[in-house]
Structure formats: C-alpha cells, structure tokens
Amino acid sequence: MEVPWRQGGRGRGRARSGDGLAARAGAAARPPAPRARGGACVAAAGTSGEGASGEWRALLPTPARPGAAGSRAGEPAKKFDEIKKANQAAAKKLVEDQFSSSSEDDDEDAEVKQGKILAKTFTVYTSQTDGDASELERTRQYLNEAFQSGAMTCLICIASVKRNQAVWSCCGCFCIFHLVCIQKWAKDSLFLVSSPLTDDDFGKKDYPWPCPKCRFEYKRSETPSRYYCYCGKVENPTLDPWLVPHSCGQICEREFKPSCGHKCLLLCHPGPCPPCPKMVTTTCHCKKAKPVPRRCSAKEWSCCLPCGRTLLCGQHTCENACHAGDCQPCPRVSKQRCICGRQTAERLCASPQWQCDQVCGKPLPCGNHTCEKVCHAGPCGDCPRSGKRSCPCEKSKFTLPCTEDVPTCGDSCDKVLECGIHKCSQRCHRGPCEICRQEVEKQCRCGKHTKRMPCHKPYLCETKCTKIRDCQKHQCRRKCCSGNCPPCDQVCGRTLGCRNHKCPSGCHRGSCNPCPETVDVKCNCGKTVIKVPCGRERTIKPPKCKQLCSRPPTCHHSTQEKHYCHFGRCPPCRQSCQKTLACGHLCPVPCHDEALVKQTGLHQSAGPWEQPSEPAFIQTALPCPPCEVPIPVECLGQHEVSPLPCHSANPYSCKRFCGRLLDCQNHTCMKECHHVTKLNSSADGKKAGLECSQCEEECTKTRPSGCPHRCVLPCHPGDCPSCLQMLKIKCHCKLSVLYIECLKLTCADLKEKELLISCKNQCPKELPCGHRCKEICHSGSCPLNCSQKVKLRCLCKRLKKEIQCSKIQEGQASVECDALCKEMKRKAAEIKEAEAKAAVEEEKRRQQAELEAFENRLKGRRKNKRRKDEVEVEQSSWQKYKNLIMLPMFGVVVVLVAWLMVYND
C-alpha cells in the first residue's frame, strides 16, 4: 500500500494532498455532477480528489455534443495551461515542504537544540520544584512530538503539520489540526447537522460541531477564524527556531485543571498543563493532623490514622485509614429482623431493613380474607373486595359482600378494539376482547392501492419505494413505503483518507470522519513505539530506539557487539576474532567472517569503448592472519630473549660472540652465536660445547708477585704450576749476584726474602762517619751507631787517643792541645805563611811564562805544526808523590773486597 499522495505520481499526488477529506466533504455536499451524453463523466478540476491525474482523464476523447463545435478548438490549449499551472504549484509546494519540514535538521544538531529548548521551557517550573521534572513527562511527550518530523499530523487531511503553517489545537484532546482544515470541518459538520431541517427551523438553534478526534463539542461561535499560539496570547506567532513550533515563548499562564487558583508556569507549550507545583498548607482528609506544606496538585493527603466518623448504621465508627469522600458502608455483621419481624438473620450492619419471602397472611378487617402482600411494614389495609365494584365492562356498579364476585351486567361491551376504530360487540364479559373481524376498504401504506379485507390484518402492497434516502445515493427499495424513508442502512464503505480502511459508518452525506485508527510505528525490535494516525506510517521515520540490538550474530561469536536497535544489516562485527589458531593462541584481529573482498577480472571489456565497471565486492570469510602474539624466544647461544611473532618464533642467531667459557676456563668462544649441544642436563649453560672453538692461546694468568716468568703450560684451567726457574738477583748491597729459585722468592715472607737476598758478607756501605757498616748485607739504611774505635788527635795532630766513633759524632769526646802543641802550631803557621808567599810568587812566574808563550804564538814563530808550549812549573809535593800513595791503597781495597766475597760465600 502506498501513501495517498504518492499515488498517481509524486508531483500530482502531493499537490492535492493538502485538500484531503475536506475537499471530498465539499464535493459530497454539492449535488452530483450531471452525466454527459454517451456516459462520459465531466470532471471539474479540483473536485475529483486525484489531482492532475483527473485532469489528464478529462483530455480523453468524448462523444461529440451538439453545440460544442465552436469551443472544441480552444479546449486543449486551455487544459494544457491548467495542467501546467497545477504542476508548477505542486513543485512549489514540494520545495516548501522540503525546507519547512522539521526533518531537514541533522539528527545530532536537532537533538542538542531540542534539549536546550526543552530546558528553557521547563526552567520556571523546575525552579518551583527544586529540579524535580517527574510531573512533566506527559508535557515532554507533546513537545517531542512537536519537534519530531511527521509526528504532528492533521487528522483531517492526513498531512504533516509544518512549522510555518497556521494551526488550531483542541482543548479536549489537545490534537493539532491545520486552521484551514478545521474551519472546513466545522462548516461541513454544521451543514450536515442542519440539512434535514426546514427553512423555518434553520437558525433557531445553535447546533455544535465536534472535534474530529475526541468529539468534544464546540459552539458555532467558537469556530476558529485566526491563528493563535498555544496559550492564546499572541496572534500569528512568528517562526522562531529557538522556540517550540507555534509557540509565542511567553509564560503560559493558563489556569490549571482542576482549578486551584494558580496558573501554569511553563513557557507557551502544546498539550495539557502539568500539575500545579505551588506549595500550600493543608490538613488531611479527617482534619485530625496539623496542616503541613504540600504541593498544590497533591494537597489532599491522608494521615493514615483511623477515620473515626460515625457510620450510617449509627452504632459503629469508620475504622479505615484517613480517606477522602464518604465513608464506606459498615462492614460489620449483626442479627437483624425482617420488616414483618417473623425471621431473624445475620446481615450487614449497613443494610438493616430487609424483606423475607413469606406472605403476610394477616386477617384483613373483613374477616374473610388474609393479606396477600409479601413481608411489609405497617397495617395491611382494607380488603380489596370491599366497597363498590364495577362489572367487567365498567358500565354498572354493585355493592356486594367481599365473599361474592361481581356479575356481568348483560349490556354490550363497547370497548375499543386494538384497531382503534371499531368497538367490541359482545355482551359484557370477563377477559380480553376478541380481534376485530370486520371487513373494511383498506389502503396500503404507500397509498397507491386499496383492498377489502379484515380490519385486523395490515395491508402492504408489493410496490417498492423509489425515493432517495438521506444519504442521497441509494433508493429506499422498501415495499409499500409510507414516504418517511428510514435512514440508509448500508455501510458507507468509502476509502478513508488513510487509504487503508473504509468508512464503517452508515451511508451518509458529505465527507467521512477521519480514520479513528492509530498505527504503531515501531523500531526494528518493537520495544520503542510511537502512535501515528493511520495513513502516516509509511512517511514518518521510525522512532530512535535506545534498546540494544537483539539480532543473533551472523559471525561465529556468541554475542554481537553492543549497538542500538536499527533497520537493515547489522554493522560489521568489530570484536576480536578469538578463534583458536594452530599455535594455540586466540586470533586478536577484528572479526573477519563477513569481510568485503573486491573482485577483479570477472568482467572482460569488449573493447576500449566500453567503460570500466565499478569493482564488485563480495562478503566472504577470510582466514585468520599469521599469529602475531609476541613469544619470548631465546637465541641459539642463550644470550638474549627477544619477543618474536608466534608464526616465526624459531631459534635464531643474535650475531654476538658466543661467549661461552672454554675448557681452559680463561677464554670464551669467539664464534658467532651458534647452537650448543648440552652433554648432560645438569651441565652449566655457560660452558662451551662441542660446537665451540678450542683455545689456542698461551697462559695469561697473573703470575705471583715478583715472578717475571711465563707459565710453561698452554692456556689451562686452575692455578699455574710452581715456577722452578732460577732468578738472577743482586743482593742488598748490590755487590754480589745471587741465583734463587723463583718459587722460594715469591712464596717467602718479608723476613725470608730479607735472608734470601742477603749475600751474607759485611755491608760495604759507609756510615756518615766514614767507617764501613759492620752489619751483614742487609736492606735499607745502615744503623748510625758506629762501634769502631778511631784515633782522635788534637788540632795540631800531635796528640792522639782511641775513642768510639759514635761518641765522637755525638760530641761527647775531644782531645785538647797542650803547650808543646801550641808551639809547634805557631811554627807551622810561620812555615805555611812562607809557603803561601812562595806560591804567590810561583803563580806570578807561571802567569808571566803563559803571557810570553801567548805573545810568541801571536808572532807566528811556529809555522807548520802547532806545538804545546812547555812551561816548566814547579810541582807540589802531593803532585810528586800521589801515584806512590794511591797504588798501595788501591791494592789494599781490592784485597779486602775479595776477602769479603769469599767470606760471604
């Protein structure tokens, strides 16, 4: 089923959709159009209800009509202009609808904007309620419908209510209609109500017109003629995008219903006003509690204490909690007598009076009869057969005892029979009269035929009535109709404006009522529902559902990724694949069960002139990619652990030196990182294997302190063997060369080393005093305590004395000169003075000789050979005898040294 205005083309259907049922109502109110000759229907533009499609049908050829030849030539051009104008109007209206509809805003911007407008509308109200907006849900629903595109629909024309259109709101159901539509509706309703009246009765009574939805009745004077905002303050409110559509933006100030004396605090809004938020001081229903401040809309409250008011029974009090209105009937049960007092039964205290089923039976005053009334109060009264009684025909009266029956009078009955014309001809009798059997000339109900027949039988002819009933469509077709034809009993059956249902009312004149049905427009899951008038379900957007999509996943996951309810295919699954790979890990990439794969090469072009087609995409499941989970993998030489992708997690070479300790325990393998076979499981991971290189180096271990020799073995583990080589080393005195085993020297302590390096001879060092050290060859400095005795002479060298050398150094001993020494000293001084003078003279002579020799050289006396001038100089006594003194002393020293060396050995 299509939307009504989409039938017959978009432009044509939409151009006429605004008229809707109102246009058809106006067409039905007019008399039917006359048929042209030959059965062709002459359709008037604008009344067919099908837009331009009806005008195209008017262009179909029709049988020639007499007198129409003169106007036939101008008809096509005229109708073409009319169709052109209609299409232009339709296009203009379509453009206006596109730009005036509230659906043109983006969803996100519209929601933000709508939230700000709602907050602004509720600000004054929520300021009175401390931010509580729980009472505004119904008003919020009306406001949301005002903002939602297509939610506000005129039930008369079944078209959306736009922001820039004049509207009218019903005060009963708050439904919104186009102002033009409701004016036509009111006019048509008043016309249909007043059409059966005569000219004399028309206008004497103010007939109401109903709301199309709730049937709330309005007076003729209340027919809307101007466009007002919701609160009725502003005429023709301006279109403001920051206000609720059709609102003036001022405070509503309509009185609350039920009236409490306060006025609405919201901004001008559609729908009913919310409950009054004002605070008032009021007491409870039973008036026992103290007055407390409460909301005006909930000012009636219960204190929950027992009511305590006396019930209608007059014996008990109300035990219910404090309540509004009258108290309930007394719920207690008690024994009560009936009205006549014969029976007693347990009954509710609220209904003390009751009747039993026994007949009274008390004797009447006549004494012959008893009371036949059922259980009653008060006296039974007189006997009903006492006093004057009439005969059955009521012509004669008799006074008889109550025990005798009244006799018939014997006169004719003369009661009017059921026919209302004739009288009963029998004598006075008891019981009903017989039927009238007189033959009369009867006329049928329609007055067209007469017949003689018994009076009690009705006479209906077989002629069918040909009058049109009040629906102005169907004939009466009732046999022998009196002329007052009943209303048409057929169902209207016309298609309503919704294009989904037919009118269920009896056949009637004018336009049909709007379709009363509402259609639920649901989201895909059906949990979010909005009700729209029937016929609008295909043009309105489905509601936005805040529920999660409940469709089963199309991939291998048990549950799909959370997203809101929607139409169409679910978005691609973005969860992790989590399939178990061959390595045992889970696939971490997004789900690829429904991946779009581009297909190429399926279509081969026929030639260069053929345009290349867009690549086709197919939805297929892709295999899981190689596992990229980082696995810690140790290199071949166990130097490092690096994270490698699981699919390529194999042992590798880190390109470093192997570094494993060789068998020598001193050097490491210098090969590039390689695999090493472990000989046993308990082997150390740092030891070299069979694949490692062999050490070919010399032993480079640190020798013991003092050992200058290298290890005789190649590079080996453990300590080096003891060094057995002989060390050639000088003794402490540096005179002898000793040969000592290296092991003894390096292993000896300080004392032992001191003895080993000593040559065992006397120390040749001289003491500061000039004497030789008396100690055996030793290290370090010699002791200063010299024990040798020396001869100490006086100053003149004549006297001498042997004294220990150390005392002389300390200045503890001295030898003084005597007189003889002084005399010899004096003589020596004189000799020395004479020698000094002789030396000075000798020096002068020598210098003179050198001067002469120098002058001779300057004169060139020596020509070829340079000769050394020989100057005879007189030598001193030391120069003459030094060789004779020194040679014996040197020989003595050599002998001493040799003796010491031999002694030390």
Side-chain angles (χ1 to χ4, degrees):
M1 182 187 70
E2 295 186 355
V3 183
W5 52 76
R6 293 187 179 178
Q7 296 179 356
R10 292 187 178 179
R12 298 192 297 273
R14 198 169 182 86
R16 298 294 183 180
S17 62
D19 298 336
L21 294 176
R24 289 198 295 277
R30 293 190 291 271
R35 293 184 177 272
R37 296 180 183 178
C41 179
V42 179
T47 61
S48 64
E50 297 181 3
S53 60
E55 298 172 355
W56 281 106
R57 288 197 299 271
L59 296 178
L60 296 175
T62 55
R65 293 176 292 172
S71 60
R72 186 178 300 170
E75 285 183 0
K78 181 178 180 181
K79 291 191 175 182
F80 178 79
D81 293 338
E82 292 177 356
I83 295 172
K84 182 179 179 181
K85 292 179 180 179
N87 289 337
Q88 291 176 351
K92 182 178 180 180
K93 185 174 182 180
L94 178 62
V95 173
E96 291 178 356
D97 291 342
Q98 291 291 336
F99 288 97
S100 63
S101 175
S102 59
S103 64
E104 65 180 355
D105 297 331
D106 294 335
D107 293 340
E108 296 182 359
D109 296 341
E111 289 182 1
V112 175
K113 184 176 179 181
Q114 178 180 343
K116 292 182 179 179
I117 296 174
L118 292 179
K120 181 180 178 182
T121 304
F122 297 152
T123 299
V124 181
Y125 186 93
T126 53
S127 64
Q128 297 285 335
T129 61
D130 296 334
D132 184 12
S134 59
E135 301 290 345
L136 298 173
E137 291 302 323
R138 187 180 178 191
T139 307
R140 190 188 300 274
Q141 181 180 358
Y142 278 93
L143 291 173
N144 289 333
E145 290 180 356
F147 284 110
Q148 188 175 3
S149 174
M152 294 176 59
T153 305
C154 178
L155 296 180
I156 299 175
C157 64
I158 316 299
S160 297
V161 178
K162 311 300 180 185
R163 294 172 180 262
N164 56 354
Q165 293 176 335
V167 297
W168 175 82
S169 177
C170 175
C171 62
C173 61
F174 303 99
C175 187
I176 295 177
F177 305 90
H178 291 121
L179 182 62
V180 178
C181 295
I182 198 65
Q183 288 173 346
K184 288 185 178 181
W185 176 269
K187 182 179 179 181
D188 294 342
S189 299
L190 293 173
F191 176 77
L192 293 176
V193 171
S194 60
S195 59
L197 302 177
T198 61
D199 295 339
D200 296 335
D201 296 332
F202 187 79
K204 292 183 179 180
K205 187 176 180 180
D206 188 9
Y207 291 97
W209 56 273
C211 169
K213 182 178 181 181
C214 65
R215 317 308 294 179
F216 183 82
E217 293 185 347
Y218 292 90
K219 297 180 181 179
R220 181 193 297 268
S221 60
E222 294 176 344
T223 302
S225 59
R226 296 181 181 180
Y227 169 40
Y228 287 94
C229 62
Y230 296 115
C231 63
K233 293 180 181 179
V234 179
E235 182 180 354
N236 296 324
T238 57
L239 177 61
D240 190 343
W242 288 99
L243 292 177
V244 180
H246 316 292
S247 170
C248 63
Q250 302 180 19
I251 297 179
C252 177
E253 293 187 347
R254 287 183 288 183
E255 291 188 357
F256 290 108
K257 293 182 181 180
S259 179
C260 63
H262 303 124
K263 294 183 180 181
C264 181
L265 301 177
L266 297 180
L267 300 184
C268 182
H269 62 91
C273 296
C276 181
K278 295 287 186 179
M279 299 296 291
V280 295
T281 302
T282 180
T283 186
C284 63
H285 300 295
C286 63
K287 312 298 182 182
K288 292 181 180 179
K290 294 181 179 180
V292 295
R294 293 179 63 87
R295 291 273 170 81
C296 183
S297 58
K299 58 185 176 183
E300 296 184 357
W301 61 285
S302 172
C303 63
C304 299
L305 297 175
C307 177
R309 286 184 283 186
T310 303
L311 300 177
L312 297 177
C313 64
Q315 300 179 1
H316 306 106
T317 57
C318 180
E319 296 180 355
N320 293 333
C322 176
H323 60 87
D326 297 332
C327 298
Q328 296 180 356
C330 183
R332 298 192 179 185
V333 178
S334 61
K335 291 185 178 181
Q336 299 177 4
R337 290 182 176 274
C338 64
I339 296 177
C340 64
R342 293 182 181 181
Q343 293 185 3
T344 302
E346 289 187 354
R347 295 179 58 82
L348 291 174
C349 189
S351 57
Q353 294 185 356
W354 62 285
Q355 287 182 323
C356 62
D357 296 334
Q358 295 183 4
V359 179
C360 179
K362 292 180 181 179
L364 296 177
C366 65
N368 298 321
H369 302 94
T370 57
C371 179
E372 296 180 356
K373 296 180 181 179
V374 179
C375 181
H376 64 89
C380 297
D382 296 333
C383 180
R385 297 171 64 88
S386 61
K388 291 185 178 182
R389 290 179 287 170
S390 300
C391 64
C393 66
E394 297 181 356
K395 290 183 178 180
S396 301
K397 293 185 177 182
F398 301 92
T399 302
L400 295 174
C402 64
T403 56
E404 296 181 6
D405 295 332
V406 178
T408 57
C409 62
D411 198 356
S412 58
C413 181
D414 289 337
K415 290 182 180 179
V416 179
L417 298 177
E418 291 182 357
C419 64
I421 301 174
H422 304 102
K423 294 182 179 181
C424 179
S425 60
Q426 294 181 357
R427 291 186 181 276
C428 180
H429 59 88
R430 292 184 177 87
C433 299
E434 295 182 352
I435 59 176
C436 184
R437 300 182 182 277
Q438 294 188 26
E439 289 190 359
V440 293
E441 190 78 17
K442 273 197 169 186
Q443 191 176 19
C444 66
R445 189 166 53 186
C446 63
K448 294 182 180 180
H449 304 279
T450 58
K451 186 179 180 181
R452 194 168 184 82
M453 57 187 304
C455 181
H456 69 279
K457 292 184 177 181
Y459 176 40
L460 299 176
C461 66
E462 298 295 327
T463 304
K464 293 183 179 180
C465 181
T466 59
K467 289 184 178 181
I468 302 298
R469 295 192 179 187
D470 58 352
C471 66
Q472 301 297 321
K473 293 181 181 180
H474 304 106
Q475 291 182 345
C476 180
R477 305 303 291 170
R478 189 174 62 159
K479 291 182 179 181
C480 195
C481 181
S482 63
N484 186 16
C485 299
C488 185
D489 55 356
Q490 297 188 30
V491 178
C492 176
R494 286 186 290 179
T495 302
L496 298 177
C498 64
R499 304 293 183 183
N500 295 330
H501 303 97
K502 293 185 178 181
C503 181
S505 304
C507 189
H508 57 85
R509 297 171 60 187
S511 59
C512 300
N513 292 336
C515 181
E517 301 292 334
T518 57
V519 180
D520 292 340
V521 178
K522 301 180 180 180
C523 63
N524 188 41
C525 65
K527 294 183 180 179
T528 303
V529 182
I530 58 173
K531 292 184 178 294
V532 297
C534 182
R536 294 290 295 170
E537 64 273 9
R538 284 183 175 82
T539 59
I540 192 171
K541 292 182 180 179
K544 290 184 178 180
C545 181
K546 297 299 182 182
Q547 301 292 331
L548 297 178
C549 180
S550 60
R551 294 183 183 178
T554 56
C555 58
H556 67 278
H557 291 104
S558 59
T559 57
Q560 63 177 348
E561 194 174 11
K562 292 183 179 181
H563 60 278
Y564 291 127
C565 172
H566 62 91
F567 289 92
R569 294 180 60 86
C570 290
C573 180
R574 298 186 181 277
Q575 301 181 68
S576 297
C577 178
Q578 297 299 311
K579 286 184 179 179
T580 304
L581 302 176
C583 59
H585 295 115
L586 300 179
C587 182
V589 300
C591 181
H592 45 83
D593 286 353
E594 296 179 343
L596 291 177
V597 179
K598 180 179 178 182
Q599 279 189 330
T600 57
L602 297 179
H603 175 72
Q604 294 182 356
S605 58
W609 59 86
E610 186 175 354
Q611 294 293 333
S613 60
E614 294 183 358
F617 290 88
I618 61 171
Q619 201 170 40
T620 183
L622 297 178
C624 293
C627 182
E628 297 290 339
V629 175
I631 300 297
V633 179
E634 194 172 27
C635 68
L636 293 171
Q638 300 179 355
H639 302 116
E640 65 178 19
V641 177
S642 297
L644 298 180
C646 182
H647 70 276
S648 61
N650 297 319
Y652 65 99
S653 174
C654 63
K655 305 301 180 183
R656 300 179 185 175
F657 293 116
C658 176
R660 289 177 178 267
L661 188 64
L662 299 179
D663 295 337
C664 66
Q665 303 295 321
N666 300 320
H667 299 96
T668 57
C669 179
M670 299 304 291
K671 284 186 178 181
E672 188 179 284
C673 179
H674 60 88
H675 174 70
V676 179
T677 303
K678 290 185 178 180
L679 298 178
N680 50 48
S681 59
S682 62
D684 189 5
K686 299 298 182 180
K687 289 186 177 181
L690 298 177
E691 294 82 0
C692 293
S693 59
Q694 299 296 326
C695 182
E696 297 178 356
E697 301 288 334
E698 294 181 354
C699 180
T700 56
K701 289 185 179 179
T702 304
R703 303 298 296 166
S705 177
C707 179
H709 309 107
R710 289 186 177 182
C711 181
V712 296
L713 300 177
C715 188
H716 60 87
D719 296 333
C720 295
S722 300
C723 182
L724 301 178
Q725 296 189 35
M726 300 299 289
L727 279 177
K728 184 180 180 181
I729 189 171
K730 290 184 178 183
C731 64
H732 297 299
C733 57
K734 307 300 180 183
L735 295 178
S736 302
V737 176
L738 304 178
Y739 292 90
I740 307 172
E741 287 186 3
C742 184
L743 176 63
K744 291 181 179 181
L745 184 63
T746 55
C747 295
D749 55 7
L750 293 177
K751 290 183 178 180
E752 291 177 353
K753 283 183 180 181
E754 183 76 16
L755 295 174
L756 288 174
I757 301 175
S758 176
C759 62
K760 305 297 188 296
N761 296 324
Q762 184 180 357
C763 179
K765 297 179 184 178
E766 289 185 0
L767 296 176
C769 61
H771 300 116
R772 184 177 177 183
C773 179
K774 298 295 183 180
E775 299 289 334
I776 299 174
C777 179
H778 62 87
S779 61
S781 58
C782 297
L784 300 178
N785 187 12
C786 183
S787 60
Q788 187 174 354
K789 290 185 177 182
V790 295
K791 291 180 180 181
L792 183 63
R793 294 177 181 271
C794 64
L795 293 177
C796 64
K797 306 295 182 181
R798 189 181 69 81
L799 296 178
K800 61 178 181 180
K801 186 179 180 180
E802 288 186 353
I803 302 173
Q804 194 173 356
C805 182
S806 59
K807 292 182 178 181
I808 297 173
Q809 296 295 329
E810 293 175 359
Q812 297 179 1
S814 63
V815 177
E816 299 294 337
C817 292
D818 55 2
L820 181 60
C821 289
K822 292 179 180 178
E823 181 66 21
M824 292 178 66
K825 186 176 181 181
R826 183 180 62 75
K827 290 180 179 180
E830 291 177 355
I831 294 170
K832 189 175 181 180
E833 184 179 357
E835 289 179 354
K837 289 180 179 179
V840 170
E841 292 177 357
E842 182 68 21
E843 182 68 20
K844 288 181 179 179
R845 286 195 301 268
R846 188 181 62 82
Q847 290 179 356
Q848 183 65 33
E850 287 180 355
L851 180 61
E852 290 178 356
F854 179 73
E855 290 177 352
N856 293 332
R857 284 195 300 270
L858 290 177
K859 293 178 179 179
R861 292 179 179 178
R862 295 180 182 178
K863 300 179 179 178
N864 299 328
K865 192 186 286 185
R866 186 176 181 180
R867 295 179 182 180
K868 186 176 180 181
D869 294 336
E870 294 180 1
V871 179
E872 293 182 2
V873 179
E874 185 178 359
Q875 295 181 351
S876 62
S877 58
W878 165 253
Q879 290 176 348
K880 290 179 182 181
Y881 303 109
K882 67 179 179 180
N883 291 332
L884 296 177
I885 296 173
M886 291 301 295
L887 285 173
M889 290 181 66
F890 181 75
V892 173
V893 170
V894 171
V895 172
L896 289 173
V897 170
W899 179 81
L900 288 173
M901 290 179 65
V902 174
Y903 178 78
N904 291 333
D905 292 338

